[in-house]
Amino acid sequence: MGKIAINIATGSIQKNDIIVGIDLGTTNSLIAIVREDTKQPLAIREIDGLALVPSVVHFDEYGNVTVGAAASEKLISEPQNTIYSVKRLMGKSYKDISNHADSLSYKIIDDNTDALVKIQVNDTFYSPIELSSFILKELKQRAEHILKTNISKAVITVPAYFNDTQRQATRDAGKLAGLDVLRIVNEPTAASLAYGMGLQPNEEKTIAVYDLGGGTFDMSILKITNGIFEVLATNGDTYLGGDDMDRILMEHWQSKFGINSNDNSILQELRLTAETAKKHLSNNDFFESNIAGKTVNISKTTFEALLKPLIDRTLACCTNALKDATLQVTDIDTVVMVGGSTRVPLVKNTILQFFNKKELFDSLNPDEVVALGAAVQADILAGNNTEMLLLDVTPLSLGLETMGGLMDVLIPRNSKVPNKVGRQYTTHIDGQSSMRISVFQGERDLVQDNRKLAEFNLTGIPGMPAGLPKVEVTFLIDADGILKVTAKELRSGIAQSIDITPKYGLTDEQVEQMLLDSLTHAKDDMQVRALTEASTEAQQMLDTIERFMKKNDGLLSPDETSTTLAQMQILREAITARNKNLIQKETETLNDISRPYAERLMDFALKNAMNGKKII
Ligand code: AMP
């Protein structure tokens, strides 16, 4: 019997459609599929057997693009035209990267704003999205060539800590490359999937994913329950990896063998030899070579002593991740190893010891395991496997601005993703025809202290008295962590929606700072919120009574009118004085004074109606 694939993103039925899994990495990228015959994931390889495509893009003087190993060769000779590590810039603003811009050898436009970064090559400006799309296009073409079929659908992986903007940027890069990105999957989730974790219906497991690559270290703690992956915590260091091991060895040789050269080509040779030595020592006890006429050597024991401080730094991240997840080492059922640097025996042994385990999941190629998992996810989406959900949590609360600049939280922080929440709002002015929907992210009570993600106007609300329109605002976060906000006036059916593509991303430190701020300011915030709420309520009552008196001239006696006006003035003064208790007291007094008027108006209206007259 043949298989029919259902694309759960579009609901359409497709036959024989290949969906590829892509690991779009900082240093290397690769593409994988699940083989139809063996049902096993497989990295797509060139004839030379290589699956990894260096994530490097080179532009020649005419703007022609080369990607991969051929582009890497130009890193030294043409640094301004050769772009690497573009993943670090995805969804980032100039402000976000101001500390790192100098360490890159290509040109980032000099700016210090919230706008998304652009890279200048010759006279052309490229966004990280465009640059990533070149890498994706290259992968797509390679796969099409090798598999001899058209490829238009993909699952792409991102680090678990990527925020909305970074995920959206990755999705856009896929679109630009001509790929329909069916899902964005977290890298640690993909690595676990590659080992078949989470595929059993009743499986419950807590997994630590240790990912030490060339330039970055990520620690993630995941929980699988009934095929649902949840990220409990992430930690890591975006500037720690195999490159640092090479650098440590270089420095050791420079001081021990007196190779103190400023010559770039010698330094380059030294770096390459250090990397060769590191790899050699993963399987041997001693390494020796020649650099610039001098012999260099190192034993495994000495190398391991040099590496210890670096590996200890990764352990500190593991400890922090466990703490954030409120777990003990003993709660971890499984440890998955990802990234080329986990081939270093000392790394493996240290992690085994730290997690107190007999065995680590490291049998798959650590450079390929994320792409293999993405292929498994693609296979699930193609309908070839059990339906599964991938869960994430929101790092910060998401909400709307309401009267008085208050934050009304719809999705609290740490909520599970996907998620959908709706809440009703109304107008506060008669005949109000539009409503501004401002979406914020953060933990503070006043929106001015949080971060604005987007804003739009719901227009065309039919004229109605204040308080009558029912505007339902819905927040929908899809499985990729992308937020869609919809506002709909229920009586008239008019609706508007927006996909949130924030102006720039937040770093982990900023998220932490925002959480910290919310704690330190909690008491102040509560007081401000209480005052704002009291003032808003008072102002609404003043507006209502003013309207009432204008409309129903003659209903109140002169005495009543002057008493009311005097109390209204007292209340206005209390609002100006920003005294919450006084505002509440005077609002109540005004309410007591005005309540009988409303009752009288009702009687009036009733009498008139019974006389067959129209109600005003
Ligand atoms: P990744 O970013 O996951 O591709 O990891 C690449 C890093 O893994 C680079 O720093 C490589 O030098 C390192 N690496 C690759 N193979 C080995 C090996 N056999 N032993 C130690 N490190 C390795």
Side-chain angles (χ1 to χ4, degrees), residues 261-333:
S261 172
N262 289 326
D263 183 336
N264 260 342
S265 66
I266 294 183
L267 283 178
Q268 173 71 353
E269 196 187 342
L270 192 63
R271 198 188 64 74
L272 290 175
T273 314
E275 187 179 3
T276 309
K278 170 184 74 178
K279 291 182 181 173
H280 182 81
L281 292 175
S282 289
N283 299 306
N284 301 277
D285 292 331
F286 192 76
F287 176 87
E288 188 167 271
S289 184
N290 254 302
I291 297 172
K294 289 190 177 166
T295 302
V296 293
N297 57 37
I298 187 149
S299 71
K300 187 172 182 166
T301 324
T302 314
F303 183 53
E304 292 193 336
L306 292 173
L307 290 187
K308 186 164 183 308
L310 193 147
I311 298 173
D312 283 348
R313 274 168 67 196
T314 71
L315 292 186
C317 296
C318 297
T319 307
N320 286 336
L322 283 169
K323 207 166 85 196
D324 285 351
T326 53
L327 292 178
Q328 310 288 328
V329 163
T330 45
D331 297 322
I332 303 293
D333 300 310

Side-chain angles (χ1 to χ4, degrees), residues 316 415 455 538:
S415 296
E455 187 170 86

